[in-house]
Amino acid sequence: MLQLVLGLAALAVIVLFWAGIRSWMNKNGAMAAWVQAGGIFVALYLSGEMARRQDQRREQRRRADSENVATMRVAARLRPWLRLAADAVTSNQQFEDSAGSSGKLDLDVPPFEIELDVAALLSADHAKHIYSLIELRAQSFDEIIGTNAHGDPNEARRRYYLAMAVLFDRVRSLYRTFARNTGLHELVPQAWELQAMARARSSGSPVPEVP
């Protein structure tokens, strides 16, 4: 009831105000023309402003959708990389444990199969993380190959294990963030993957000097 009374009162005020404006405009013809012109200008401005804001909201929704899809695509690339990294580390560890009878000695660091144009659709912070991972992988691989080529295979393997452990941890953290932000089902690494990387982290740690 109160809302109805307030509504009727507001309507009455609007009618009285409009009636007063019409009466004033009838008495002041020249000024009325300016008022009408001003009203038209304000109406056009408000109409354009509303259209601009609608375009901005549509653009924001489009960007958010594009970022969300790109995030899911990158996450779908990161999870298989974790398995590849764990497989590679495990193969090297088996080769060392068996004196070469099983596994495979291969110091290659698996590349990230991530399209740069897709990574560019991510938020600036997440895109920086992806680009830094790609650069870190390339830098680590060059250092490992260079060390191995110059006759220090033990140091090359140490750097390999350290690089794989660091990359694994960073990729896993970023993958978990992407999965949670997009509502994807997060695939948790299996126990053997975590154990292989824990051993790699230990093997890659610098050996303390004997005093």
Side-chain angles (χ1 to χ4, degrees), residues 147-157:
T147 303
N148 193 48
H150 287 82
D152 195 348
N154 291 331
E155 176 63 15
R157 284 197 297 271

Side-chain angles (χ1 to χ4, degrees), residues 9-115:
L11 181 61
V13 169
I14 293 173
V15 171
L16 291 174
F17 176 77
W18 179 248
I21 289 294
R22 294 290 297 176
S23 176
W24 178 85
M25 290 175 64
N26 290 334
K27 296 178 182 179
N28 301 273
M31 186 63 69
W34 284 103
V35 171
Q36 289 178 344
I40 293 174
F41 174 79
V42 171
L44 291 175
Y45 172 80
L46 292 178
S47 177
E49 183 66 16
M50 291 178 61
R52 186 181 67 84
R53 293 188 178 185
Q54 288 178 349
D55 291 340
Q56 285 182 338
R57 286 193 292 268
R58 282 195 294 267
E59 179 64 17
Q60 289 174 351
R61 287 195 297 268
R62 187 191 67 79
R63 290 181 180 178
D65 291 340
S66 298
E67 181 181 339
N68 195 52
V69 172
T71 302
M72 289 188 288
R73 290 179 62 180
V74 173
R77 297 287 191 178
L78 293 179
R79 181 61 187 95
W81 186 93
L82 294 172
R83 175 60 57 84
L84 286 175
D87 280 336
V89 166
T90 301
S91 180
N92 279 278
Q93 292 170 345
Q94 290 174 348
F95 183 88
E96 293 179 351
D97 294 342
S98 64
S101 62
S102 65
K104 181 182 179 182
L105 182 60
D106 185 0
L107 301 183
D108 186 23
V109 180
F112 298 107
E113 302 295 339
I114 298 175
E115 300 86 350

